[in-house]
């Protein structure tokens, strides 16, 4: 049976009223879906943008509403909008999807789009730590950040680094504890992470690496009634007025266990079009859904691990994926693009236009620096630098951007090269090595972002003349082969 066509679908339910949910609703109406649309949310708030919660924690005291920012207004798009009635159970069979909500209602629909995002991780035993994922979390953190207060941030990842910089800038005494050997080591590798470490001292933040946090308990040693204390694996104890756990996020899929096959990270594995793929695990009855039932389930945004033509399965966690992917998913769901999951060479043979393949993209402003990461670095990649990081020390020298935000002078980039096992790598006619770039990290190089995005979004591997690619006076696009 083919995917139900637009005319077969008279009702759709979207679970999640964040960026991906809002974009799905907008795309459904844009592509002509006139049936009944239900949107379920959990926070009691209209959709808003999360990146400013850390980057502009103190500058923006109100959420950045997507209705203002993107013009996506769920009240106009949905027939039934319930912003504080989360889904608690899903049953899906060959005939329909049935979503039970926390208020006890059952919402039946022809298809369900899961856009329920992720939730911040707070490890067991860290009861006194707060996390930063929602507007309410940001409000709590903002209220506590006064000059002189002691903030301990656990985790030198994207969000930990951003908050540490903002808090230190506001006069807080900030310590960041990182279990790995360097900031962002898990995301960017040790070599690049080591280059970011001096930024902490430059910004007045104490960075403690190579030590895990055991517990975060209420009350400091001098005052058991107030603040929190962080016990480290090496026996040290840090007293704090506030502790932020910034150790990652996990798909908000707990409510789906037993209904759908989940990956080990809690994500939902979907094909290029965003349709659920059945995982065949003999121990998980949810993995034995009938194909006609699977065809009713779609997932977008942070909850989805989506197949990418170049990078393979890419777990969620990218704002740009939540922004862009719903359009292709809705086109496939409505039957406007019947072969959306086919590889590009098959689509080309059928005379179909390529499906946009946005490379995974993360942006960050942290500790006075600007980062943009395209692609997926792997621990097995060879990492080479294009340009050199400026020596650390002193405040960030600035070059004003259009938005008026200063960035450090002296941009550089890291290229993550696929580790060619071939003992005779390809060469250009000039004898230069040809390398496949899996990821590009741009640091303080806002003017390079546009061209690198274009190169990485072409939906095919980026191959470069390595000698030219490492010369920062040559544009990366002029180093491609
Ligand atoms: C502080 C912060 C900074 C970030 N900065 C960046 C950045 O710089 N760059 C970047 O690429 N990404 C960044 N991200 C990640 C980015 O915001 C996400 O990738 C994006 O928001 C994903 O959108 P989404 O709609 O899939 O999920 P979400 O934004 O998480 O929205 C999902 C919504 O679904 C709701 N929900 C959950 N469960 C249910 C349920 N059972 N029923 C109904 N509703 C439910 C949730 O409450 C939530 O409102 C940041 C995230 C945070 C928290």
């Amino acid at each position: 049976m083919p995917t139900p066509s637009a005319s077969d679908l008279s009702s759709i339910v979207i679970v999640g009223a964040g960026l991906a949910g809002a974009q799905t609703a907008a795309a459904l109406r844009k592509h002509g879906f006139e049936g009944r649309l239900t949107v379920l949310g959990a926070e009691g708030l209209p959709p808003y943008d999360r990146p400013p919660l850390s980057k502009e924690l103190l500058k923006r005291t109100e959420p950045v509403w997507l209705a203002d920012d993107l013009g996506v207004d769920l009240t106009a798009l949905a027939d039934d909008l319930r912003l504080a009635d989360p889904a608690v159970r899903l049953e899906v069979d060959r005939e329909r999807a049935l979503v039970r909500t926390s208020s006890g209602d059952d919402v039946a629909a022809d298809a369900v789009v899961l856009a329920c995002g992720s939730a911040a991780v707070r490890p067991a035993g860290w009861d006194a730590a707060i996390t930063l994922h929602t507007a309410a979390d940001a409000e709590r953190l903002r209220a506590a950040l006064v000059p002189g207060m002691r903030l301990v941030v656990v985790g030198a990842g994207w969000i930990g680094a951003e908050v540490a910089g903002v808090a230190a800038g506001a006069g807080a005494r900030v310590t960041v504890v990182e279990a790995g050997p360097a900031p962002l080591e898990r995301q960017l590798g040790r070599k690049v992470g080591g280059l970011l470490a001096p930024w902490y001292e430059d910004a007045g933040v104490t960075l403690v690496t190579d030590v895990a946090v055991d517990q975060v308990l209420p009350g400091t040693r001098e005052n058991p009634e107030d603040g929190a204390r962080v016990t480290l694996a090496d026996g040290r104890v840090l007293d704090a007025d506030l502790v932020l756990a910034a150790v990652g996020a996990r798909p908000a899929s707990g409510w789906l266990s037993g209904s759908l096959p989940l990956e080990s990270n809690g994500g939902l594995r979907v094909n290029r079009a965003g349709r659920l793929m059945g995982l065949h695990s003999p121990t998980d009855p949810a993995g034995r859904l009938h194909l006609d039932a699977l065809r009713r389930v779609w997932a977008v945004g942070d909850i989805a691990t989506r197949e990418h033509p170049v990078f393979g399965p890419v777990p969620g966690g990218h704002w740009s994926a939540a922004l862009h992917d719903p359009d292709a998913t809705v086109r496939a769901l409505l039957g406007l693009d019947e072969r959306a999951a086919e590889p590009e060479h098959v689509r080309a043979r059928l005379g179909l236009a390529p499906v946009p393949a946005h490379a995974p993209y993360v942006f960050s402003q942290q500790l006075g620096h600007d980062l943009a990461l395209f692609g997926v670095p792997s621990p097995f990649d060879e990492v080479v630098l294009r340009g050199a990081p400026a020596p650390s020390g002193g405040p960030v020298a600035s070059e004003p951007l259009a938005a008026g935000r200063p960035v450090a002078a002296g941009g550089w980039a890291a290229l993550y090269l696929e580790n060619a096992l071939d003992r005779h790598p390809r060469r250009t006619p000039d004898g230069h090595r040809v390398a496949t770039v899996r990821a590009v990290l741009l640091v303080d190089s806002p003017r390079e972002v546009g061209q690198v995005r274009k190169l990485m979004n072409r939906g095919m591997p980026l191959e470069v003349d390595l000698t030219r690619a490492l010369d920062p006076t040559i544009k990366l696009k002029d180093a491609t082969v």
Side-chain angles (χ1 to χ4, degrees), residues 15-21 40-43 48-55 85-88 115-119 132-134 159 162 252 255 300-303 316-320 322 361-364:
V15 181
L19 175 60
L40 303 174
E43 290 180 58
Y48 59 89
D49 212 14
R50 288 184 206 277
L53 296 181
S54 49
K55 295 167 188 62
D85 195 6
V88 293
C116 40
S118 52
L132 176 58
H133 191 77
T134 64
I159 291 177
E162 290 176 359
W255 67 282
V300 284
D302 278 9
I303 194 164
H318 302 96
W319 179 89
S320 61
Y361 166 54
V362 175
F363 51 92
S364 178

